[in-house]
Amino acid sequence: MSIDVAQEIGHIVSQLRDIRDASLEHRNRLGRPPKLPSRKVLATVVDALAAALFPNRLGPAGLTEEGIDYFVGHTLDTALRDLTDQVRRELKFAGEQADADIQARTLVRAFAAELPQIRSLLDSDVLAAYEGDPAARSIDEVLVCYPGITAVIHHRIAHVLHCLGVPLTARIIAEIAHSETGIDIHPGAEIGESFFIDHGTGVVIGETAVIGKHVRLYQAVTLGAKRFPKEESGTLVKGNLRHPIVEDDVVVYAGATILGRITIGRGSTIGGNVWLTHSIPPDSHIVQNPHS
């Protein structure tokens, strides 16, 4: 590398440092900013948790029946230790410096206690996908091949963490699934058992969405917000209930957009490419243009 190029790079490095310091000072984090949870580590944690939940299908090749419990125990021990470190990072980032270690261990123990319930919910999701897709030849195929199941595995894990009070860690896990599958589920969304996303690409489910049992969504469905109210300062209001409630046994076909805090009544069917911003009663059938 020539001297001129080295000097040029040195100048760029200096400029970037000045901008970085200004940004940190604006956010009151100048000095030694706390580390964020690591996306790479959390991706490994979720893969390990998925393998522990489904060792015969998502675990290592050659795993014997005699070795399953040992594998699950060892994998959980490693994954939960790594998760504790990432939760600790989030707590410190949020300003919980004093007892972050104790809090992190407590939160991860509470998360671990939910793993059997997560597995039960995922069993219902996998079965719903198998029963709901005539192309599925086996439950095993659904588990290892379907992007909707990958997204739901991430969501079931992320949602528990979100509810336990580590929303950043949960959001990172959700965005890992989004990157891998094209399915964007906010970890705050409440989703009942036997949930099936068919094909999946382009599905968006917002933070305050509530989805009942036995709901099926097809690709490019949006459960979004109709508007974004602002405070007097002009900043967006955070945390208000702005996404749909979808009751049990609803089917939403490809490309449908459902916006606002509205209710889709139980047993309803929403046709492809429908734009819906008002509540509908149970057993409704909504299509884009009934006269075409």
Side-chain angles (χ1 to χ4, degrees), residues 12-31:
I12 293 169
V13 168
S14 177
Q15 288 180 306
L16 289 173
R17 182 182 63 249
D18 291 342
I19 295 170
R20 185 172 65 249
D21 287 347
S23 176
L24 288 169
E25 186 173 13
H26 178 71
R27 290 178 284 138
N28 298 316
R29 295 192 181 278
L30 189 61

Side-chain angles (χ1 to χ4, degrees), residues 114-151:
E114 294 295 320
L115 287 171
Q117 174 65 12
I118 291 174
R119 166 67 201 241
S120 295
L121 283 171
L122 289 171
D123 280 346
S124 75
D125 300 326
V126 172
L127 183 60
Y130 172 68
E131 292 180 344
D133 185 0
R137 296 179 180 272
S138 69
I139 288 177
D140 295 327
E141 177 188 349
V142 168
L143 180 59
V144 301
C145 295
Y146 279 40
I149 294 301
T150 298

Side-chain angles (χ1 to χ4, degrees), residues 259-273:
L259 301 179
R261 192 60 167 186
I262 63 175
T263 298
I264 307 303
R266 179 180 183 140
S268 294
T269 299
I270 311 300
N273 298 315

Side-chain angles (χ1 to χ4, degrees), residues 229-287:
K230 296 183 179 180
E231 299 174 348
E232 292 183 3
S233 64
T235 58
L236 293 177
V237 175
K238 305 289 186 177
N240 61 316
L241 301 177
R242 60 196 183 277
H243 299 104
I245 298 171
V246 180
E247 294 185 342
D248 299 349
D249 303 304
V250 169
V251 178
V252 185
Y253 283 98
T257 299
I258 303 173
L259 301 179
R261 192 60 167 186
I262 63 175
T263 298
I264 307 303
R266 179 180 183 140
S268 294
T269 299
I270 311 300
N273 298 315
V274 163
W275 180 277
L276 190 60
T277 58
H278 60 85
S279 295
I280 60 172
D283 300 313
S284 297
H285 295 270
I286 308 297
V287 295

